């Protein structure tokens, strides 16, 4: 039985690679003409969303969204933050933020991937965390993107933490930008992906439901940089407590 289960997971993972051999060139390719001028970026963003939603559907994932009652302003930008466990987190954020074209702040290594790397680099902001000058330049690029009307998604853990880490310490970047530019933060808590599509093992996982909580936006209008650590702590605790709630719900459901 164990061998059959592992075989299924390996085939399922191979399916992910196969579909993206076709999806990435198609959706990324048709978006390229719209990446060179900011006014056309919403069109390119729609294609990025189609790539993300196609991946989720074809991999057998569906999400159940719980959200605090709030109507987001379509004309406002936001800093989106979330816990980070897998590449699927990116696809989920694309799918959820349909009315707010955004850019991701991601690892510079992604630019080395053939074809996808070009589109990712052109669409998003790449950071080499080992290079101080790169980090400084990134803050300037983020501010430029915000000034051009885009929202920004930053995973404050700074990458996918080790499987043993429940929620890694948050870095300062997202909160610095939100305060400097006076942009509200939208925290997301994503559950289940850590076990359904883990980054550190291709022999685990499987399709199924993903639970997501979209928290109420947090205003930075009256904050200064001296409030940065308090804001970071508030967001960390918000996501941590929701993850713990998701875990309790999962345990309780398994009892029945």
């Amino acid at each position: 039985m164990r061998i059959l289960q592992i075989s299924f997971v390996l085939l399922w993972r191979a399916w992910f690679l196969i579909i993206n051999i076709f999806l990435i060139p198609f959706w990324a390719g048709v978006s390229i003409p719209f990446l060179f001028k900011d006014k056309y970026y919403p069109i390119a963003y729609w294609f990025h969303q189609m790539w993300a939603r196609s991946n989720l559907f074809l991999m057998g994932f569906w999400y159940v969204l719980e959200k605090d009652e709030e109507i987001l302003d379509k004309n406002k930008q936001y800093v989106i933050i979330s816990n980070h466990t897998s590449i699927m987190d990116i696809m989920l954020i694309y799918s959820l933020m349909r009315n707010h074209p955004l850019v991701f702040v991601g690892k510079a290594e992604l630019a080395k991937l053939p074809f996808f790397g070009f589109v990712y680099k052109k669409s998003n902001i790449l950071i080499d965390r080992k290079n101080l000058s790169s980090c400084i330049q990134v803050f300037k690029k983020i501010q430029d993107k915000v000034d051009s009307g885009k929202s920004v998604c930053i995973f404050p853990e700074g990458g996918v933490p080790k499987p043993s880490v429940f929620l890694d310490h948050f870095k300062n970047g997202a909160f610095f930008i939100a305060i400097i530019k006076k942009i509200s933060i939208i925290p997301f808590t994503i559950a289940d992906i850590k076990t359904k599509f883990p980054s550190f093992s291709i022999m685990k996982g499987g399709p199924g439901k993903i639970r997501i909580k979209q928290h109420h936006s947090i205003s930075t209008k009256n904050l200064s940089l001296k409030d940065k650590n308090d804001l970071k702590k508030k967001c960390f605790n918000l996501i941590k407590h929701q993850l713990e709630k998701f875990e309790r719900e999962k345990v309780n459901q398994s009892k029945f």
Side-chain angles (χ1 to χ4, degrees):
M1 183 63 71
R2 177 62 177 167
I3 294 176
L4 287 175
Q5 184 181 9
I6 293 175
S7 299
F8 169 78
V9 174
L10 291 175
L11 287 172
W12 183 68
R13 286 280 190 157
W15 170 241
F16 176 75
L17 296 177
I18 292 169
I19 61 177
N20 276 287
I21 288 173
F22 296 97
L23 286 181
I24 289 176
F26 178 72
W27 289 119
V30 294
S31 73
I32 287 176
F34 304 103
L35 292 174
F36 295 94
K37 288 191 176 181
D38 285 333
K39 66 179 181 179
Y40 297 131
Y41 185 74
I43 301 175
Y45 185 72
W46 183 85
F47 287 119
H48 297 341
Q49 285 184 308
M50 292 302 102
W51 164 73
R53 292 163 67 182
S54 298
N55 260 289
L56 291 171
F57 174 76
L58 291 171
M59 291 301 291
F61 288 127
W62 68 92
Y63 61 81
V64 176
L65 177 64
E66 175 189 345
K67 58 191 299 187
D68 291 333
E69 188 174 345
E70 179 182 17
I71 298 176
L72 299 179
D73 189 339
K74 293 182 180 181
N75 298 313
K76 285 179 62 176
Q77 301 111 289
Y78 296 90
V79 171
I80 293 91
I81 65 169
S82 171
N83 58 308
H84 197 21
T85 55
S86 167
I87 188 174
M88 288 295 173
D89 299 332
I90 295 173
M91 300 178 192
L92 288 165
I93 297 296
Y94 267 137
S95 300
L96 293 166
M97 297 301 295
R98 300 183 184 184
N99 298 317
H100 296 85
L102 59 83
V103 296
F104 286 89
V105 178
K107 296 185 296 184
E109 291 85 349
L110 292 173
K112 298 176 182 179
L113 297 175
F115 197 78
F116 173 83
F118 172 80
V119 178
Y120 190 85
K121 182 179 181 179
K122 196 68 182 175
S123 306
N124 302 290
I125 300 169
L126 305 184
I127 181 171
D128 180 0
R129 297 188 184 278
K130 298 178 182 179
N131 187 327
L132 180 60
S133 62
S134 171
C135 295
I136 295 172
Q137 292 172 13
V138 162
F139 283 116
K140 177 64 170 61
K141 290 178 181 178
I142 293 174
Q143 292 183 69
D144 289 343
K145 294 291 186 183
V146 170
D147 291 339
S148 70
K150 299 180 183 68
S151 294
V152 179
C153 181
I154 302 175
F155 296 106
E157 291 172 280
V160 177
K162 295 179 180 179
S164 59
V165 177
F166 186 71
L167 183 65
D168 212 347
H169 298 293
F170 282 4
K171 300 185 184 303
N172 293 323
F175 313 99
F176 177 88
I177 291 295
I179 291 173
I180 287 291
K181 304 303 291 185
K182 300 301 178 187
I183 299 176
S184 295
I185 294 176
I186 301 178
F188 281 92
T189 303
I190 301 174
D192 306 309
I193 282 293
K194 193 169 188 175
T195 54
K196 285 186 165 61
F197 201 87
S199 294
F200 292 93
S201 175
I202 63 170
M203 299 177 69
K204 296 181 180 179
K209 180 177 71 174
I210 302 164
R211 293 167 296 166
I212 307 170
K213 173 64 182 284
Q214 179 180 329
H215 302 274
H216 198 285
S217 62
I218 300 171
S219 175
T220 61
K221 184 178 180 180
N222 298 317
L223 300 184
S224 66
L225 286 178
K226 68 181 181 181
D227 302 305
K228 174 172 57 62
N229 287 334
D230 288 338
L231 178 62
K232 179 173 67 172
K233 184 177 180 180
K234 178 179 181 179
C235 291
F236 179 88
N237 288 334
L238 190 67
I239 292 175
K240 181 175 181 288
H241 292 159
Q242 183 61 44
L243 280 174
E244 290 171 342
K245 181 181 177 183
F246 278 143
E247 284 296 310
R248 289 194 298 270
E249 290 174 352
K250 186 176 180 179
V251 170
N252 290 335
Q253 289 174 2
S254 67
K255 292 179 180 178
F256 295 98

